[in-house]
């Protein structure tokens, strides 16, 4: 049995002031039990505003204090498993998201999740209407460490991670986050059973669940090389950057990857730029949070051919 952070240990802010929910050593495996982004309050389509008077927006479980993690290190978070609750929920918003002007009131839809029993989420799906069956690809919307300065609410992404809504943070991915304060203080929540790039209506298939991760403090030069937040997923590495506009976020993510490629492949600006233009893909993570998030992907195999190995 792993060390567990329970769904009672949640917060709406990632901050160095938070009391750790648990402490572990570098290399330990920890289970995070998460609530959905509506604080598990929307349980019926008849009551789309939910059953709680003061729900936490985007609650994140944690924080986890990793004993060996010191400022300047990078926290390697291996996503070993994501196990979902057996239902998800979506809700329209009258205030946020690309389509908010289409809605006069909030409407909720509950979706049973099928085929996901015993943690075998790989083959799970929902039914959308009478004719559509949609296979799921569970991901983590909010995952971050505590920033060095003022706390950051869990609706906002940034250099600490947070509400990045990157659909590539899935089982098998490895996320690298900055350690800004002693222990790192890792938190996560806002699981989506399925979400498209952009998250245009401001929700994925929102759900709660259990996430198993292994956390390791990466130190020294290996840590200094990584442009955090940095992700490895399905044969590609990714920089993930957030800014007030998509243009700015895209520039930041591309520049961060170019500098990384330059350094680990030993290229100059022209050669690294060409490789980026030939091989990297820029994708929108989300356009609906207080800052927009863009990722830039690069094939890991090309880096490996130059002898680079991820820590
Ligand atoms: Ca989110
Ligand atoms: Ca969400």
């Amino acid at each position: 049995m792993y060390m567990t952070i329970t769904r009672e240990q949640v917060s709406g802010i990632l901050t160095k002031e938070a009391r750790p929910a648990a402490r572990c050593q570098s290399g330990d495996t920890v289970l995070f039990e998460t609530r959905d982004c509506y604080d598990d309050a929307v349980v019926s389509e008849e009551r789309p505003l939910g059953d709680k008077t003061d729900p936490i927006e985007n609650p994140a479980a944690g924080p986890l204090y990793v004993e060996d993690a010191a400022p300047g290190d990078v926290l390697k978070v291996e996503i070993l498993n994501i196990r979902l609750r057996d239902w998800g929920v979506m809700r329209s918003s009258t205030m946020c998201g690309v389509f908010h002007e289409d809605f006069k009131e909030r409407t909720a839809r509950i979706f049973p999740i099928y085929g996901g029993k015993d943690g075998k989420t790989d083959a799970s799906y929902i039914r959308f209407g009478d004719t559509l069956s949609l296979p799921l690809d569970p991901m983590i919307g909010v995952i971050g460490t505590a920033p060095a300065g003022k706390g950051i609410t869990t609706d906002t992404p940034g250099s600490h991670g947070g509400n990045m809504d990157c659909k590539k943070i899935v089982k098998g991915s490895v996320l690298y986050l900055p350690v800004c304060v002693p222990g790192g203080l890792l938190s996560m929540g806002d699981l989506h059973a399925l979400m498209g790039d952009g998250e245009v209506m401001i929700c994925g298939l929102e759900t709660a669940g259990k996430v198993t991760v292994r956390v390791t403090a990466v130190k020294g030069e290996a840590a200094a090389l990584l442009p955090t937040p940095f992700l490895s997923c399905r044969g590609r590495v990714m920089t993930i950057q957030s800014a007030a506009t998509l243009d700015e976020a895209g520039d930041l993510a591309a520049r961060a990857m170019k500098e990384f490629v330059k350094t680990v492949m030993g290229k100059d600006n022209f050669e690294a730029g060409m490789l980026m233009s030939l091989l990297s893909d820029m994708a929108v993570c989300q356009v609906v949070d207080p800052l927009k998030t863009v990722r830039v992907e690069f094939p890991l195999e090309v880096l490996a051919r130059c002898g680079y190995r991820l820590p």
Side-chain angles (χ1 to χ4, degrees):
M1 195 50 208
Y2 307 127
M3 181 183 300
T4 299
I5 293 178
T6 74
R7 50 189 298 290
E8 305 311 315
Q9 297 168 295
V10 295
S11 166
I13 188 165
L14 304 185
T15 169
K16 63 185 176 189
E17 315 292 342
R19 214 177 87 215
R23 288 172 178 264
C24 75
Q25 304 295 321
S26 178
D28 280 356
T29 298
V30 180
L31 181 73
F32 285 74
E33 296 181 351
T34 67
R35 302 184 196 178
D36 70 29
C37 75
Y38 308 124
D39 205 18
D40 291 349
V42 184
V43 298
S44 140
E45 294 178 355
E46 284 68 47
R47 297 188 305 283
L49 294 182
D51 288 342
K52 289 186 183 173
T53 44
D54 200 12
I56 304 168
E57 186 184 353
N58 258 358
L64 173 68
Y65 189 106
V66 182
E67 296 287 356
D68 322 74
D73 295 350
V74 162
L75 192 64
K76 174 183 181 181
V77 185
E78 297 169 83
I79 317 293
L80 303 179
N81 200 14
I82 300 177
R83 193 173 163 178
L84 302 179
R85 185 174 69 190
D86 63 2
W87 59 278
V89 53
M90 299 187 77
R91 187 173 72 178
S92 59
S93 170
T94 55
M95 293 181 297
C96 304
V98 177
F99 311 129
H100 69 275
E101 287 170 342
D102 296 353
F103 306 110
K104 298 265 183 303
E105 58 187 21
R106 290 175 181 234
T107 305
R109 177 77 56 85
I110 307 269
F111 292 91
I113 291 175
Y114 302 102
K117 302 221 165 55
D118 304 321
K120 294 187 179 107
T121 55
D122 295 354
S124 57
Y125 64 97
I126 57 163
R127 295 200 182 105
F128 196 100
D130 294 335
T131 51
L132 286 178
S133 166
L134 306 180
L136 304 181
D137 193 7
M139 53 158 280
I140 305 170
V142 171
I143 179 165
T145 48
K150 232 170 81 204
I152 298 178
T153 50
T154 49
D155 63 347
T156 302
S159 58
H160 67 301
N163 196 14
M164 296 181 285
D165 287 313
C166 172
K167 73 174 190 182
K168 302 295 181 181
I169 303 177
V170 296
K171 176 182 174 180
S173 294
V174 182
L175 179 65
Y176 298 89
L177 292 167
V179 177
C180 308
V181 301
L185 298 181
L186 177 72
S187 302
M188 69 187 77
D190 188 30
L191 300 184
H192 299 157
L194 183 64
M195 191 198 88
D197 277 333
E199 202 190 12
V200 285
M201 206 188 71
I202 208 173
C203 56
L205 179 54
E206 305 292 336
T207 190
K210 297 178 181 181
V211 182
T212 314
V213 297
R214 180 162 49 230
V215 289
T216 309
V218 179
K219 295 178 179 290
E221 196 192 348
L225 275 178
L226 293 170
T228 54
F230 193 72
L231 184 69
S232 170
C233 174
R234 298 169 183 165
R236 318 200 95 201
V237 290
M238 306 172 193
T239 49
I240 305 170
Q241 289 289 317
S242 301
T245 67
L246 279 178
D247 285 0
E248 290 171 83
D251 283 2
L252 288 170
R255 285 196 174 280
M257 185 63 85
K258 193 202 73 172
E259 288 307 307
F260 180 70
V261 165
K262 228 172 104 174
T263 308
V264 303
M265 295 183 73
K267 303 295 185 191
D268 64 15
N269 274 325
F270 183 52
E271 291 215 315
M274 287 192 292
L275 281 171
M276 288 289 296
S277 234
L278 292 168
L279 299 176
S280 72
D281 290 318
M282 184 181 286
V284 171
C285 292
Q286 59 75 26
V287 295
V288 294
D289 297 334
L291 299 175
K292 321 294 179 210
T293 306
V294 170
R295 68 177 182 274
V296 164
E297 308 184 359
F298 194 85
L300 182 57
E301 180 255 348
V302 173
L303 301 173
R305 271 193 269 164
C306 289
Y308 180 72
R309 296 283 177 276
L310 282 168

